[in-house]
Amino acid sequence: MSGLGTRDIGHRVVVRHRIKGGLTDVIGVLEDRREGQLVVRHADSSRHEIELSAITAAKPIPEMPLRPVDVEQLFLTTALGRPAAETVYLGEWLLRASSGWTGRGNSLLPAGNPGMPLTEALKRAEAFYVERGLPPQAHIRLGSQAATDIQDLGWIDAHPDRSDVLVMHTTLDHVNALPPYDVQLAEHPDKAWYGVAFDGPVPAPAPVVLEGAPKAVFATIEVDGEAVAVGRGAMTGHWLGIDALRVAPAHRGQGMAAAVVQGLARWAGPQGGRRTYLEVLESNLPAVTAYQRLGYVEAYRYRYLRSPAQ
């Protein structure tokens, strides 16, 4: 027996069924309801094909509530998931440089203790960036003590005209449903991937940064043999970081971005993934709304501060 139908595909379910020696429960996402069979995908991406004749009970279950997230740990995790071309440690702080490409890749990450007085640490950070011809700036988590302390020493908003960046998170259980498109995964991005990820020439530091994580994968959706949507996933511990998510203008509004997220989430399960995060400008309302529909919620937000000497 089964109380589940095609309307439940993509939702979390619990299925109790007979096995040799007794009964067992499978909890996961309902991937398919075939003739005489249910297919359930567990959070670790294992697939369970269960005969209807063996099922004693089956029903949808509410979405798993999100456990509180350690924002300090996630703040550092986001940096490790997309390492800069050059990273130098100042105590526990990260000094990152990538020839000027992206704020994340060219800013101080004040996570933890710099191992010296704050004024001295900031002077060393300024010298690091000046030596590389880069403006000294700090990537700060809003509401953190580090942000307050750095601002008290005169560092000011580097981009007052821009909105905050939201770091959003959820569990893989919310986003590992079967994508409605064929999401191809590769260990290294090809020319077609970069062609969708960027308008015009690819910045020279981009391949070094995007391909520099120890465990990363690159997703592509093709239409008629042409790449039209791409994304990048990187594992740091049990966290899947998703970035470089972009859909060609002519194919937007068709659910491809969500499909890329789902494809990357399904890859992350066997890698030990349990949670996932991504970043988005608060002003990008369509993207924020799409991510919320997938189950993402805000963990924290960040901005950049610049040195008063800049």
Side-chain angles (χ1 to χ4, degrees), residues 1-300:
M1 60 175 290
S2 171
L4 302 175
T6 55
R7 68 186 182 282
D8 298 306
I9 292 176
H11 296 282
R12 296 181 70 244
V13 299
V14 56
V15 180
R16 174 163 293 182
H17 62 286
R18 290 185 293 272
I19 59 172
K20 186 176 181 179
L23 295 172
T24 189
D25 290 337
V26 172
I27 297 176
V29 173
L30 182 62
E31 184 173 285
D32 198 1
R33 192 190 192 287
R34 305 170 181 168
E35 185 68 29
Q37 191 179 67
L38 294 182
V39 180
V40 179
R41 180 174 290 274
H42 192 263
D44 64 4
S45 287
S46 59
R47 298 172 78 249
H48 299 261
E49 299 180 351
I50 306 168
E51 299 297 325
L52 293 182
S53 59
I55 296 174
T56 61
K59 63 180 181 179
I61 58 177
E63 292 184 347
M64 183 185 300
L66 292 179
R67 292 181 287 112
V69 63
D70 183 338
V71 293
E72 279 292 341
Q73 184 254 346
L74 181 55
F75 186 50
L76 179 59
T77 295
T78 62
L80 300 179
R82 184 166 146 171
E86 178 187 7
T87 299
V88 173
Y89 281 86
L90 184 63
E92 295 176 330
W93 284 12
L94 275 64
L95 302 175
R96 303 172 295 177
S98 303
S99 301
W101 184 66
T102 79
R104 280 180 289 177
N106 296 273
S107 57
L108 156 69
L109 190 86
N113 191 328
M116 61 188 70
L118 184 61
T119 52
E120 177 62 24
L122 291 177
K123 286 180 181 178
R124 294 200 184 188
E126 289 176 342
F128 173 87
Y129 289 105
V130 169
E131 289 172 2
R132 289 155 180 78
L134 298 170
Q137 61 178 4
H139 173 168
I140 56 101
R141 180 173 60 84
L142 294 179
S144 67
Q145 188 61 51
T148 299
D149 293 343
I150 293 173
Q151 287 175 306
D152 286 347
L153 290 176
W155 287 53
I156 60 176
D157 195 337
H159 307 289
D161 57 331
R162 297 183 191 173
S163 70
D164 297 340
V165 179
L166 307 182
V167 176
M168 306 181 75
H169 75 105
T170 189
T171 65
L172 290 189
D173 269 352
H174 286 84
V175 291
N176 74 345
L178 182 66
Y181 298 92
D182 178 24
V183 181
Q184 303 174 31
L185 301 177
E187 292 185 1
H188 301 284
D190 57 15
K191 185 177 180 181
W193 189 95
Y194 277 112
V196 178
F198 292 91
D199 283 325
V202 178
V208 176
V209 172
L210 293 174
E211 300 178 46
K215 187 185 293 186
V217 71
F218 298 84
T220 303
I221 295 175
E222 293 184 349
V223 173
D224 297 329
E226 178 184 358
V228 298
V230 299
R232 171 185 176 273
M235 291 299 303
T236 305
H238 67 273
W239 281 100
L240 165 68
I242 296 176
D243 66 354
L245 186 59
R246 190 167 186 272
V247 179
H251 296 272
R252 291 173 184 167
Q254 301 175 34
M256 290 190 179
V260 169
V261 172
Q262 290 169 329
L264 291 171
R266 290 160 70 86
W267 165 82
Q271 312 297 322
R274 292 294 178 267
R275 291 190 173 195
T276 169
Y277 68 86
L278 47 76
E279 302 181 7
V280 60
L281 281 169
E282 183 182 26
S283 58
N284 189 349
L285 293 179
V288 172
T289 300
Y291 297 145
Q292 288 174 335
R293 287 174 181 161
L294 284 172
Y296 283 88
V297 299
E298 179 182 334
Y300 65 88

